[in-house]
């Protein structure tokens, strides 16, 4: 099955991103033909300056490679290194009714929040459709907010296929229902925009400080602690087997340990889980050329497929 995912590079990644997006993606590469790219043309819609966009793009590549994205198994590239996607984007625009774009939730939400609209923001779903259709994608794993964009992609593809023949594969979205919302240090959904995140790659001391800030109840030392509804527990279980979960519950109930103990324990769990990733990250940050080579190889492979598809599209519509 050909599965395609697009990563928006928007800064430091956190534990919520890791369990909600990165780990599930890495698992997909074992059984599927995974295509993954860093959506830097899309990020341009919110980018503030050139250096930041460059830095975020590179950092996202390093972070994903570090947590286990395997370039031997997955085709991994930077969106703008295959510029054919913009050619398809223009062609698809002709098959995109204005009403379809006007109904897009993410666009309407952004405008409602006061972000001043420009054409790139408005036509964002058409570029996403081009990303998906260019590579004959069958499945697109997305968060709930992106389902509508995959549905729009299907609408655009159907319109094209009806007029010019069966050129595009109709993609389906796949939503990972079982990934719970991971809480931040204040118990709200962890998000970089809420200032409650625990970043993936913090130095050990800062990580402990961050864990110490997790909001917990004020049960006095020596009394049993409630694990249900405890933010520390909710984060710790992400790392544990069911046996280990039971063991942790017993420790909560024993009344022998205070929250400080569990905060230290959580820090150890995070630190250990990411040990190998940290080493790989250190390596890639010191071997930037290797990262660029991996992305160049990925772009080369993606581009061969893209060129092939564009030939078919252009012939079908009369550009060739
Ligand atoms: P943020 O809210 O920090 O800006 P993004 O919206 O960039 O995060 O999310 C990127 C990916 O990480 C998405 O697939 C999203 O579902 C996942 N994700 C982000 N925060 C969480 C969380 N707290 N719990 C589970 N998944 C999350
Ligand atoms: N819009 C997606 C997001 O914000 C990123 C993205 C761009 C994407 N192109 C895509 C995701 C194609 C899946 C397929 O997360």
């Amino acid at each position: 099955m050909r599965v395609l995912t697009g990563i928006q590079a928007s800064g430091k990644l956190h534990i919520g991103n890791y369990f909600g997006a990165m780990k599930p993606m890495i698992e997909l590469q074992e059984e599927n033909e995974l295509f993954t790219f860093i959506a830097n043309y899309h990020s341009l819609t919110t980018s503030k300056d050139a250096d930041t966009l460059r830095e975020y793009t590179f950092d996202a590549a390093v972070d994903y490679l570090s947590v286990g994205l395997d370039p031997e198994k997955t085709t991994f590239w930077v969106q703008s290194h295959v510029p054919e996607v913009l050619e398809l984007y223009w062609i698809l625009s002709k098959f995109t009714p204005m009403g379809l774009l006007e109904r897009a939730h993410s666009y309407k939400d952004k405008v409602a929040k006061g972000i001043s609209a420009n054409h790139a923001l408005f036509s964002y779903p058409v570029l996403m459709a081009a990303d998906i259709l260019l590579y004959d994608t069958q499945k697109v794993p997305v968060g709930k907010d992106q389902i509508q964009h995959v549905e729009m992609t299907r609408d655009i593809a159907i319109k094209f296929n009806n007029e010019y023949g069966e050129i595009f594969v109709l993609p389906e979205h796949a939503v990972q229902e079982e990934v719970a919302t991971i809480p931040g240090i204040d118990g709200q959904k962890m998000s970089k925009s809420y200032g409650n995140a625990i970043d993936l790659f913090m130095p050990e001391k800062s990580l402990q400080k961050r864990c110490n800030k997790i909001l917990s109840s004020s049960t006095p030392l020596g009394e049993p602690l409630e694990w249900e509804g405890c933010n520390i527990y909710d984060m710790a279980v992400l790392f544990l087997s069911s046996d280990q979960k039971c063991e942790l519950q017993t420790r909560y109930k024993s009344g022998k340990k205070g929250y400080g103990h569990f905060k230290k324990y959580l820090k150890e769990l995070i630190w250990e889980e990411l040990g190998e990733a940290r080493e790989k990250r250190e390596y890639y940050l010191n071997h930037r050329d290797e990262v660029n080579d991996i992305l160049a190889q990925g772009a080369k492979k993606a581009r061969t497929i893209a060129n092939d598809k564009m030939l078919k599209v252009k012939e079908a519509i009369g550009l060739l």
Side-chain angles (χ1 to χ4, degrees), residues 8 10 14 16-21 142-143 179-183 189-193:
Q8 275 263 26
S10 51
H14 53 68
N17 300 137
Y18 177 69
F19 284 103
V142 282
V179 177
T181 300
I182 289 136
K189 173 191 183 279
M190 186 181 289
S191 169
K192 62 180 160 308
S193 32

Side-chain angles (χ1 to χ4, degrees), residues 125-302:
V126 190
L127 180 56
M128 190 158 156
D131 289 326
I132 295 168
L133 299 176
L134 189 55
Y135 303 103
D136 288 339
T137 305
Q138 293 163 291
K139 271 255 174 332
V140 190
V142 282
K144 288 206 180 80
D145 61 318
Q146 298 290 317
I147 295 175
Q148 194 192 24
H149 288 159
V150 182
E151 282 168 353
M152 291 164 89
T153 302
R154 283 176 69 90
D155 289 346
I156 295 169
I158 289 169
K159 216 165 177 315
F160 184 104
N161 286 354
N162 281 344
E163 277 186 51
Y164 288 102
E166 296 295 308
I167 298 288
F168 293 122
V169 172
L170 299 185
E172 282 177 15
H173 66 257
V175 181
Q176 276 234 321
E177 296 290 357
E178 70 271 27
V179 177
T181 300
I182 289 136
I185 58 170
D186 58 357
Q188 306 298 307
K189 173 191 183 279
M190 186 181 289
S191 169
K192 62 180 160 308
S193 32
Y194 302 158
N196 65 355
I198 299 182
D199 292 343
L200 276 189
F201 296 111
M202 281 182 150
E204 194 167 7
K205 273 201 178 139
S206 318
L207 179 61
Q208 185 64 67
K209 274 195 191 151
R210 201 70 184 143
C211 289
N212 292 345
K213 291 219 171 93
I214 299 173
L215 203 68
S216 48
S217 80
S218 50
T219 315
L221 202 63
E223 278 184 32
L225 301 181
E226 199 57 69
W227 54 269
E228 258 170 309
C230 172
N231 296 323
I232 311 165
Y233 176 88
D234 286 347
M235 271 190 238
V237 293
L238 296 165
F239 302 86
L240 301 179
S241 66
S242 48
D243 282 355
Q244 290 170 313
K245 266 187 228 174
C246 291
E247 190 262 336
L248 182 59
Q249 291 174 11
T250 311
R251 268 157 62 202
Y252 263 76
K253 285 185 275 190
S254 78
K256 289 186 190 141
K257 304 281 182 199
Y259 286 113
H261 164 83
F262 294 107
K263 287 173 179 173
K264 270 205 186 105
Y265 175 63
L266 175 63
K267 177 243 138 191
E268 286 302 323
L269 289 174
I270 300 173
W271 190 251
E272 258 176 49
E273 166 88 11
L274 293 165
E276 199 185 322
R278 248 188 332 270
E279 274 175 30
K280 279 199 198 162
R281 187 162 175 272
E282 202 52 39
Y283 175 85
Y284 284 127
L285 288 175
N286 289 315
H287 296 81
R288 297 175 72 92
D289 287 352
E290 229 171 276
V291 177
N292 288 327
D293 272 356
I294 289 170
L295 294 171
Q297 287 299 321
K300 197 170 159 206
K301 187 172 163 209

